[in-house]
Amino acid sequence: HVVDPQILYQNDYLYVSGTSSQFVRHLERYATDMMQRFELAPGALVADIGSNDGTCLSFFQSGGMKVVGIDPATEIAQAASARGIETVNAFFSQSLGGELRERYGPAAFITSHNACAHIDDLEGVVRGVAEWLADDGVFVLEVGYFVDVFSKLFFDTIYHEHLDYHTVAPFRALFERTGMELIGAQRISPQGGSIRIMAQKAKGQRPVDKSVNELIQLEHELGLDRAETIADYGDRIANLGERLLTMLKAIKAKGASIGAFGAPTKAVTFLTHFGLGVDVLDFVVDDNPMKHGRFLPVSHIPVVATDELYSRRPDYTLILAWNFAEPIMAAHERYVREGGHFVVPMPEPRIV
């Protein structure tokens, strides 16, 4: 089925989370770094595939770039255009890449953030990038890194929206067969661990950075190119679940209350896989007001405003948005001062 990307809720159950303030700051730093690193001149055309509300492009625009976003969500695309970030409301493809080159000219820089894991025809998208990209242009994408998912047991990022789980080696092969060339790969922190992949047209002017071979070697040493390694992954996940459930059951056995912090999509995978519901977690707080008054699917745990962390005062709070555990705990030192305890589930369950 083709689902309208605009759908957020169904029958009052939460399905999609919003953009965090932490990630906005990441995008601002990213834009500054890319403009400096690739010496993007004022007036250069910058495009973003899966541009959402245009936040990333707004930072390039402030740097004097011309910007164009591409996003299939109708209302979000319209809102971005209304705030001055011209956005094409469509799914990006090879044919669209050619059309956009004719309409706007060649792009000096094309980017994409956390969209490639959601794309079925990724090769078609890369071919579209090759169509639109200037001969000396650069394509940079960011996506979750399976090395982190594997090494840190971040299995909860595996869910229905993610069609691909990425490592560097397949990207090199993908670019080679689409007229592109992988020139750099950088590990970055968002989403608990991601990679920034940099590419140019084949035989471009930029040299291939040593980071490409270094990360491919790491992937080989971890055994990610062997089926038995992935088979063992399930056993490691089960062991993590046993340790966490033992901890939470001990907390409940002494009569303490447990809430949760953060309602990202991955929380549904996490809670469902370990069988956690309202019998263990009383509620989950989240900063995004669009989620308040809703429920997490399957577990039916109610989502409430963050202020209720202080009005309801659970004895323990399980951080489901684990990739933002440190800033969450820093922002809510008062909760700990007043006797509360945070439980961080990944990569090893611990009470703070």
Side-chain angles (χ1 to χ4, degrees), residues 239-314:
N239 290 334
L240 169 70
E242 290 176 6
R243 295 194 299 275
L244 178 64
L245 290 174
T246 297
M247 178 185 291
L248 296 179
K249 287 178 180 178
I251 292 172
K252 295 295 286 188
K254 65 182 184 181
S257 58
I258 308 177
F261 200 115
T265 310
K266 59 177 170 282
V268 179
T269 299
F270 185 92
L271 296 173
T272 304
H273 190 70
F274 291 148
L276 293 170
V278 291
D279 57 326
V280 177
L281 303 176
D282 299 331
F283 60 93
V284 55
V285 301
D286 196 279
D287 293 337
N288 188 343
M290 293 182 68
K291 304 177 186 181
H292 302 162
R294 309 292 183 175
F295 302 84
L296 290 175
V298 185
S299 65
H300 301 176
I301 299 170
V303 183
V304 298
T306 304
D307 289 348
E308 298 203 31
L309 183 68
Y310 298 95
S311 59
R312 299 194 186 194
R313 296 181 181 275

Side-chain angles (χ1 to χ4, degrees), residues 69-306:
I70 305 94
D71 200 284
T74 303
E75 292 181 13
I76 290 175
Q78 291 174 345
S81 293
R83 61 188 284 256
I85 307 296
E86 184 174 356
T87 304
V88 177
N89 181 210
F91 287 97
F92 191 76
S93 63
Q94 182 175 0
S95 60
L96 183 60
E99 294 173 14
L100 295 175
R101 184 185 181 99
E102 291 183 6
R103 188 187 311 177
Y104 298 103
F109 187 84
I110 301 177
T111 191
S112 180
H113 300 270
N114 300 321
C116 288
H118 305 257
I119 296 171
D120 190 17
D121 182 18
L122 186 56
E123 181 166 326
V125 167
V126 175
R127 290 188 183 279
V129 168
E131 290 276 352
W132 194 5
L133 197 65
D135 290 343
D136 60 349
V138 180
F139 174 46
V140 179
L141 67 90
E142 293 184 349
V143 71
Y145 194 23
F146 188 69
V147 163
D148 292 292
V149 173
F150 174 81
S151 300
K152 303 173 185 176
L153 284 183
F154 291 163
F155 74 95
D156 51 349
T157 60
I158 300 173
Y159 51 83
H160 68 291
E161 291 181 15
H162 293 164
L163 304 177
D164 314 296
Y165 300 88
H166 293 283
T167 51
V168 176
F171 270 119
R172 181 163 65 179
L174 171 62
F175 287 131
E176 286 176 353
R177 65 176 181 265
T178 53
M180 300 279 288
E181 180 182 23
L182 178 59
I183 59 172
Q186 177 185 358
R187 297 185 73 171
I188 55 177
S189 60
Q191 305 303 320
S194 299
I195 43 174
R196 179 177 293 162
I197 295 293
M198 292 162 271
Q200 64 183 359
K201 287 191 173 182
K203 299 180 181 179
Q205 64 185 13
R206 296 175 179 85
V208 177
D209 189 79
K210 64 180 182 179
S211 60
V212 173
N213 286 330
E214 287 175 349
L215 288 182
I216 290 176
Q217 179 62 28
L218 170 64
E219 294 161 8
H220 178 72
E221 290 171 357
L222 289 172
L224 297 184
D225 51 355
R226 298 192 296 273
E228 59 268 24
T229 304
I230 307 305
D232 291 341
Y233 188 47
D235 293 335
R236 294 172 56 215
I237 294 169
N239 290 334
L240 169 70
E242 290 176 6
R243 295 194 299 275
L244 178 64
L245 290 174
T246 297
M247 178 185 291
L248 296 179
K249 287 178 180 178
I251 292 172
K252 295 295 286 188
K254 65 182 184 181
S257 58
I258 308 177
F261 200 115
T265 310
K266 59 177 170 282
V268 179
T269 299
F270 185 92
L271 296 173
T272 304
H273 190 70
F274 291 148
L276 293 170
V278 291
D279 57 326
V280 177
L281 303 176
D282 299 331
F283 60 93
V284 55
V285 301
D286 196 279
D287 293 337
N288 188 343
M290 293 182 68
K291 304 177 186 181
H292 302 162
R294 309 292 183 175
F295 302 84
L296 290 175
V298 185
S299 65
H300 301 176
I301 299 170
V303 183
V304 298
T306 304

Side-chain angles (χ1 to χ4, degrees), residues 8-15 291 293-297 303:
L8 292 178
Y9 308 105
Q10 186 177 44
N11 298 328
D12 285 340
Y13 288 94
L14 172 69
Y15 279 86
K291 304 177 186 181
R294 309 292 183 175
F295 302 84
L296 290 175
V303 183

